[in-house]
Amino acid sequence: MVGKKSGKALLREEGLERTDNNMDLTTWPQVNMINQKNYYTEYLKRDDQILPLRLQQEERRNRMTTNAKDRDRALAQAKPGEAPMPDIEMDLDDDVGMDEGVGLMGQDALGSKVIVLHPGSQNLRIGLASDALPKTVPMVIARRWKCNGSEAEEPKPKRLKLDGGTLMEPEKMFGEEFACQYSTMCSDLKVRMRSHKRRVLPNSKELIVNYNKRTPPETISEHNDPLRIDWTELPSNPRQAPAFITGKDALRIPDHSNPRYKLFWPLRYGWYNEHDYDQKRALYDDIAVIIEEAIKTQLNVSRKKDWPQYGCVFVVPDLYERQYLSQILDMLLRDFGFGRVCFIQESLAATFGAGYTSACVVDLGAQKTSICCVEEGMCLENSRVNLKYGGTDVTETFIKMMLFDHFPYAEINLNRRYDFLLAEEIKIKFCTLNEGDVSPQPADFHLRASGQDTRKYMFKTYDEILLAPHGYFQPSIFDNSMKLQDRRKLIDRSRDLYDGSPNDPVSTAQSAIVAITAPPLPVNGLVSNGQVNAFDGAAAATPLRQLPNPLQKFAEQERNPHSAVGSPAPDDDDTPMPQVEGETNGVKNELDPSLRDDVLPIAPLDVAILTSIIHGARSDDRKTRDFLGGIMVIGGGAQIPGFYSYLEERLKESRPGFAKDIMIGTPPRELDPQGVVWKGGSVFGKLRGTNDSWISKLEHDRLGARVLAYKLMWAW
């Protein structure tokens, strides 16, 4: 009987037995398992592994080598008996010019090769860092179009019409809400003036209205007008007309020119103006054309092949958008070909220009107001506030109030170029916040339009001159209905690469302002009154409710001042903070980030300033008092007589416990408040030791926008 064979024997007979010849199955290197208890990596742990830092080290090393060779050459060429060349050790962080030449080592020489740009919604301020003052250019471009802006759009301010198309009476022209609010403001002003022992005539309004109704304009022939305007001349042949015109010449194009020109403002309310554009490429091109023409005409740097020798300091908003910063960086380095570029925030540049170490900077621009606390050369992130109103809103509201009181020039249209300039001139000339100037006063202005004789209008003003700028403290009087129109139509907000969440910079102070402005949050699709929440931009244009009071901390400090002097709150945002009003179970009652673009940040100026200081000081009583005593107001919107004292009085009325600490300051050395930010950018461009902030074309070509994470002075 044959015994049963084992499995190994069967495999041996069939030739399938496994044999081991001590040879590896593959030549591919085998990676052992990582010891999870104790592992270490050097990836991106050393400076030489990061391109921007490595290039800085190489530049410093090359600079030291060059200096050593120059010193040795000078010693070798020195004649016997001459004093040896002094051994000057140069600071490794010293800045040099683009060519690293000996002639560019001086401060003035360095500034002559640095261009400083500060764009705004209405004006672009530009100049070399060695200039004393900037040059101001309107941030506008006029392009050939089938019709101009006044022909294609409704008159501004918008007027209500009857069914037959005729305009309504001036008292009903702007709606019942505006009339009611304007009347309430007039009554409150009378009460306030009487409380301050000022004389108030009972029939002042009637006198103003009757005078404005019956006063006809006076016609002045053009040759008798000594201040006639030189309009922009166009070729007689329409085909030879330029495709675009920028700067001040664009605002002086005749309305009935052949061909027609339409004005485009690429930046509005501190954002991209997506309403007037159909393609974002056209929007980017207009910004580039305006800046390029300003450099060529204002700085006399007409040859673009010379631009690589120049550096550029670009001033950006405190609360910027990542898409905006990335696009500007790409435009400056690729399209313009600058040798290097660096960025600085507006509030930080303002402190540089004024020479302050810490301050609460309030910048009132044409269409936006920004507030930020600066301490020791850094903008406090959580104190940044950006409000969407400014001097243009005051101009429009002033014209509406004058039309309400039967302004003699009833056909005024702010979409017309010459009417817009006229309205700005009238506002600058007559608006004030001094209550002593509120009385029936005669005034006049000259209307100059292309192809027409000059007309002189006589009118009287009363409380409109104060109530219009008072809108800074009662912004619901402004027309905010169109400011969110077509927002995000072309350019989506920046999102995180991994989880897709919005990653634009935010601040707790701005979130508090948005929470006050936003409509009530829905619960199961219903708001507090039981109706479905119709959430749109128009509904969010005006404040609808009063959520948690952001000034609650001030009231607590006034009631218990000794307890407020304790240890300041930690700077680490991960550290748990005490629960305050407006939070439930440690979760802040804030609007969802995805809905923030649907809410227009609007709040009274004094409330916004106190909110910024609260979130910047973080419950530190000493910092709170320092910021309250160092409020610096800049910008063209604040150039109203009596504005500083009026704001200081409002702040003291809001916080009487800090009345002795509150102080509103202006830029020192008689600097123009409109040019302080640009001046700070020019100072920054000439500073020694700022080499870490400059971005070269090589770094941008290799890393793209990622280089901003290493180069910016704040968290990207």
Side-chain angles (χ1 to χ4, degrees):
M1 180 176 178
V2 180
K4 185 178 180 180
K5 294 184 178 180
S6 64
K8 291 184 178 181
L10 293 175
L11 292 175
R12 190 183 307 112
E13 292 178 359
E14 296 176 1
L16 299 177
E17 182 183 12
R18 180 177 179 179
T19 58
D20 187 6
N21 54 7
N22 295 326
M23 295 182 64
D24 295 333
L25 299 179
T26 178
T27 58
W28 193 264
Q30 300 291 324
V31 180
N32 297 325
M33 295 293 292
I34 296 178
N35 183 3
Q36 296 292 334
K37 294 183 179 180
N38 185 16
Y39 65 92
Y40 177 75
T41 178
E42 292 186 351
Y43 178 65
L44 293 182
K45 292 293 182 65
R46 300 194 306 269
D47 289 349
D48 57 358
Q49 295 175 335
I50 301 174
L51 177 64
L53 303 180
R54 186 167 65 248
L55 292 178
Q56 290 177 15
Q57 294 177 355
E58 293 177 358
E59 181 182 355
R60 294 172 182 172
R61 193 179 303 112
N62 295 336
R63 194 185 309 164
M64 293 177 60
T65 304
T66 303
N67 293 337
K69 291 181 179 179
D70 293 342
R71 187 165 50 251
D72 294 342
R73 186 182 302 110
L75 291 174
Q77 296 177 354
K79 297 180 180 179
E82 289 185 356
M85 183 178 179
D87 188 9
I88 300 176
E89 289 294 336
M90 185 177 176
D91 186 4
L92 296 182
D93 289 335
D94 280 354
D95 257 343
V96 295
M98 295 305 304
D99 297 329
E100 297 183 1
V102 179
L104 294 181
M105 293 305 298
Q107 288 275 359
D108 294 336
L110 176 61
S112 65
K113 290 295 184 180
V114 176
I115 297 174
V116 183
L117 297 173
H118 179 209
S121 300
Q122 185 164 322
N123 291 315
L124 166 68
R125 289 180 172 83
I126 183 174
L128 297 174
S130 57
D131 295 340
L133 297 173
K135 298 176 176 62
T136 302
V137 181
M139 192 70 183
V140 64
I141 181 172
R143 290 193 174 274
R144 295 178 58 170
W145 215 253
K146 55 186 178 182
C147 59
N148 57 40
S150 60
E151 295 173 347
E153 301 176 2
E154 294 184 8
K156 185 179 180 181
K158 190 181 297 183
R159 303 154 169 94
L160 299 180
K161 297 181 180 179
L162 298 173
D163 295 337
T166 58
L167 291 175
M168 301 181 68
E169 299 176 0
E171 293 82 1
K172 302 178 182 179
M173 190 182 296
F174 303 109
E176 183 179 355
E177 182 181 355
F178 177 82
C180 180
Q181 193 168 2
Y182 180 38
S183 301
T184 303
M185 293 174 67
C186 294
S187 302
D188 294 343
L189 178 60
K190 287 184 179 180
V191 173
R192 181 182 178 89
M193 292 179 65
R194 287 194 179 100
S195 66
H196 291 173
K197 308 299 182 182
R198 298 188 184 277
R199 183 182 178 186
V200 179
L201 297 177
N203 58 342
S204 299
K205 276 289 184 183
E206 290 76 6
L207 294 175
I208 298 300
V209 171
N210 293 332
Y211 181 86
N212 292 340
K213 280 182 179 180
R214 68 174 188 268
T215 306
E218 176 186 351
T219 302
I220 304 175
S221 58
E222 185 177 0
H223 63 275
N224 289 331
D225 185 8
L227 299 177
R228 59 180 178 271
I229 297 174
D230 295 330
W231 301 93
T232 302
E233 295 184 1
L234 298 175
S236 57
N237 187 358
R239 296 184 178 180
Q240 298 178 357
F244 63 85
I245 301 175
T246 62
K248 297 179 181 178
D249 293 339
L251 297 177
R252 291 302 184 186
I253 299 176
D255 270 15
H256 302 289
S257 62
N258 186 18
R260 294 287 196 273
Y261 282 85
K262 182 180 179 181
L263 296 183
F264 290 90
W265 304 82
L267 298 177
R268 304 302 275 171
Y269 310 111
W271 291 327
Y272 281 129
N273 180 15
E274 302 174 63
H275 172 61
D276 293 340
Y277 292 87
D278 296 328
Q279 299 177 353
K280 66 179 180 180
R281 187 69 257 172
L283 174 61
Y284 296 156
D285 289 344
D286 279 0
I287 297 176
V289 169
I290 293 172
I291 296 178
E292 180 178 348
E293 291 297 318
I295 294 175
K296 291 180 178 179
T297 58
Q298 301 297 325
L299 304 183
N300 297 324
V301 187
S302 57
R303 298 190 305 175
K304 293 193 69 173
K305 65 179 182 180
D306 296 335
W307 290 11
Q309 302 176 12
Y310 287 82
C312 180
V313 177
F314 197 91
V315 183
V316 298
D318 303 322
L319 269 178
Y320 57 89
E321 295 182 348
R322 282 172 168 250
Q323 296 276 16
Y324 173 72
L325 214 61
S326 303
Q327 174 61 28
I328 291 297
L329 176 63
D330 185 79
M331 177 189 70
L332 296 177
L333 290 177
R334 291 184 185 274
D335 299 344
F336 292 171
F338 286 129
R340 56 180 185 173
V341 175
C342 71
F343 295 96
I344 184 173
Q345 292 171 295
E346 287 179 341
S347 296
L348 180 58
T351 58
F352 273 47
Y356 292 167
T357 56
S358 62
C360 177
V361 181
V362 182
D363 185 359
L364 277 78
Q367 296 182 354
K368 73 173 179 66
T369 298
S370 61
I371 307 168
C372 181
C373 295
V374 180
E375 184 182 24
E376 300 299 336
M378 291 295 293
C379 292
L380 302 182
E381 294 183 356
N382 287 329
S383 68
R384 296 175 293 182
V385 173
N386 195 308
L387 307 175
K388 301 306 177 183
Y389 59 75
T392 304
D393 296 281
V394 175
T395 303
E396 182 179 353
T397 305
F398 179 60
I399 297 300
K400 288 173 69 174
M401 291 179 176
M402 294 300 300
L403 290 172
F404 189 90
D405 294 337
H406 294 263
F407 189 56
Y409 181 33
E411 300 83 13
I412 188 171
N413 179 9
L414 297 184
N415 287 327
R416 279 200 294 256
R417 294 182 276 267
Y418 60 86
D419 280 351
F420 170 74
L421 297 176
L422 174 64
E424 288 285 338
E425 179 185 347
I426 295 175
K427 180 196 72 171
I428 295 173
K429 188 175 181 181
F430 299 112
C431 281
T432 180
L433 281 172
N434 293 321
E435 293 182 359
D437 298 334
V438 178
S439 61
Q441 296 180 358
D444 63 82
F445 66 90
H446 294 77
L447 174 63
R448 298 177 176 90
S450 177
Q452 303 178 19
D453 290 335
T454 301
R455 284 172 285 174
K456 180 180 179 180
Y457 285 88
M458 303 291 295
F459 67 102
K460 282 189 176 183
T461 62
Y462 182 49
D463 53 4
E464 310 92 347
I465 59 176
L466 186 140
L467 294 180
H470 178 76
Y472 284 128
F473 308 96
Q474 192 173 341
S476 57
I477 194 66
F478 296 150
D479 183 10
N480 302 316
S481 58
M482 304 294 292
K483 295 182 179 180
L484 286 175
Q485 187 177 12
D486 294 330
R487 174 76 170 143
R488 301 296 182 190
K489 181 181 73 171
L490 302 176
I491 304 170
D492 193 12
R493 67 184 307 170
S494 176
R495 297 187 177 275
D496 188 84
L497 184 63
Y498 297 100
D499 57 10
S501 60
N503 61 354
D504 280 329
V506 295
S507 72
T508 56
Q510 183 78 357
S511 299
I513 297 295
V514 170
I516 295 175
T517 311
L521 298 178
V523 180
N524 297 328
L526 299 176
V527 294
S528 58
N529 57 3
Q531 298 179 356
V532 178
N533 181 22
F535 193 83
D536 58 356
T542 56
L544 299 181
R545 63 165 180 165
Q546 291 295 328
L547 274 182
N549 183 8
L551 309 181
Q552 183 68 23
K553 291 185 180 179
F554 268 127
E556 294 175 357
Q557 291 183 16
E558 291 177 5
R559 289 194 301 266
N560 191 7
H562 297 288
S563 62
V565 189
S567 302
D571 293 334
D572 188 4
D573 292 337
D574 296 332
T575 305
M577 296 291 296
Q579 184 171 337
V580 297
E581 182 183 355
E583 299 183 3
T584 305
N585 296 330
V587 180
K588 294 183 179 180
N589 191 6
E590 295 181 358
L591 197 65
D592 187 83
S594 61
L595 300 177
R596 252 176 225 155
D597 284 338
D598 299 325
V599 179
L600 191 69
I602 294 291
L605 182 61
D606 51 345
V607 174
I609 293 175
L610 294 176
T611 304
S612 174
I613 293 177
I614 289 172
H615 291 269
R618 295 179 65 87
S619 303
D620 187 344
D621 185 70
R622 181 186 58 82
K623 288 185 179 181
T624 300
R625 297 182 184 276
D626 289 344
F627 288 141
L628 287 174
I631 299 176
M632 181 175 64
V633 181
I634 59 175
Q639 300 306 297
I640 299 174
F643 180 84
Y644 299 102
S645 58
Y646 193 86
L647 174 60
E648 184 172 337
E649 184 180 354
R650 294 274 303 191
L651 291 174
K652 290 181 178 179
E653 289 178 357
S654 300
R655 299 295 104 194
F658 292 89
K660 63 179 181 179
D661 299 310
I662 296 176
M663 183 178 299
I664 307 297
T666 56
R669 301 187 301 274
E670 298 181 356
L671 287 174
D672 182 8
Q674 302 181 64
V676 174
V677 175
W678 180 92
K679 189 65 177 177
S682 67
V683 172
F684 179 75
K686 294 187 292 184
L687 280 180
R688 297 184 181 274
T690 59
N691 194 39
D692 295 347
S693 302
W694 291 102
I695 302 173
S696 65
K697 192 174 185 301
L698 174 63
E699 296 167 340
H700 180 257
D701 290 341
R702 294 188 181 181
L703 298 179
R706 290 180 297 164
V707 72
L708 294 171
Y710 301 104
K711 290 293 188 175
L712 294 180
M713 295 189 299
W714 63 90
W716 167 244

